[in-house]
Amino acid sequence: MKKSLLALAALAAAGAASAQSSVTLYGIADISGGYKEVNVDGAKTKTTGANVGNLSGSRIGFKGAEDLGNGLKAVFNYEFGIDSAHGNWTDSKNLNNEGSSSTSTREAFVGLEGNFGQVRVGTTDTPVRNLAIAGTADGYSDFDTTTLRAVQRASGVHYFGNFSGVGIQAFAGYHKDESLGTTTNNYKGYGLGLSYANGPLLVGLAAQQFKQSEAPTSKKTEAVVGGTYDFGTAKVFANYVYGKVGVDGNFNTAYAGVFDKVQELNLGVTVPYGAASFVAEYGRNRYNLAGTNEKFSGNDFMIGANYAFSKRTDVYVRAAQQEDLKDGDVKLWTRTYAAGIRHKF
């Protein structure tokens, strides 16, 4: 009898422990086929085949939480990019150039969560990236007109909080690697994002700056103002994105190292119709040629449709013109036409 009671107590303890912690395996598999053409002042590069453009980056991740009591939780998330057409890991380096094709990190953090919000230590999305995504109709897809991709993830200490609809995200990061008396990979960064959500309305702003002191030296400043409004029959999106780089700095665009100041205004709309949905975006670009007062401007656009077979699986088609820039006879643009299938698990 005593042994039976001990066995029941052990099973109860194991059940309680498992109820207090959880680990989730998740991911996205997105594969497409299509045609992509890049024009740089008359010199064209054409690509036909798989994954010329995707709606989502394919990934696999592990996330979990443990209840520590008194409203406090330990949380973690590790997420890795995958080439859905070939099964390889994809390269997704963080700000201080850590990561490789064999250790592709999208998310990598451990943290604590409570009534105060959530504190993450490691690599996660930056404030400008999160707000820019919220203000784009296609969510930073490969077809999106928001082509100035901010520093998307950074290593450091990150804070997330939400108080009666007011969202706060802040981070600070520092990295210094000294080897044989030589300082390499020395960088620091910080950022802040504020948002307000109330029913169908979301508005926000965010800014961040990164400095790298060793060659190639750089200073990158990025900011975004954006928002959405859901009318029910349609949801509208808008954002204004600004970026400026210092000496030897690069933007995450198709023309890295060519421009030192970028401004983009993007407008979008999504319209649901049963299991289908339609999306359209327009973007106005103004880029400044590095080291000069010469300005390029142009117009981006994207149209597309999705059809959901279920909450997890959908198919899509997209046609887009991006990175459209003109200055006199000089013309730059990227055009993509693709159809694909996406599954979330």
Side-chain angles (χ1 to χ4, degrees), residues 223-226 238-243 261-266:
V224 61
V225 177
N239 69 40
Y240 169 77
V241 187
Y242 170 87
K261 185 177 179 181
V262 174
Q263 300 175 77
E264 292 185 1
L265 175 63
N266 300 283

Side-chain angles (χ1 to χ4, degrees), residues 17-26 61-66 74-78:
S18 63
Q20 292 175 353
S21 62
S22 64
V23 178
T24 301
L25 170 67
Y26 69 94
F62 305 85
K63 61 183 178 181
E66 181 187 12
V75 296
F76 75 90
N77 193 179
Y78 285 84

Side-chain angles (χ1 to χ4, degrees), residues 185-239:
N185 277 346
N186 184 4
Y187 95 96
K188 58 183 177 181
Y190 50 87
L192 176 65
L194 300 172
S195 63
Y196 175 71
N198 186 2
L201 174 68
L202 169 68
V203 293
L205 56 87
Q208 58 197 35
Q209 187 175 87
F210 301 90
K211 296 179 181 179
Q212 182 171 302
S213 60
E214 83 282 357
T217 58
S218 68
K219 177 181 177 181
K220 183 181 298 186
T221 304
E222 300 167 324
V224 61
V225 177
T228 66
Y229 193 90
D230 192 345
F231 291 95
T233 55
K235 186 174 182 178
V236 294
F237 301 76
N239 69 40

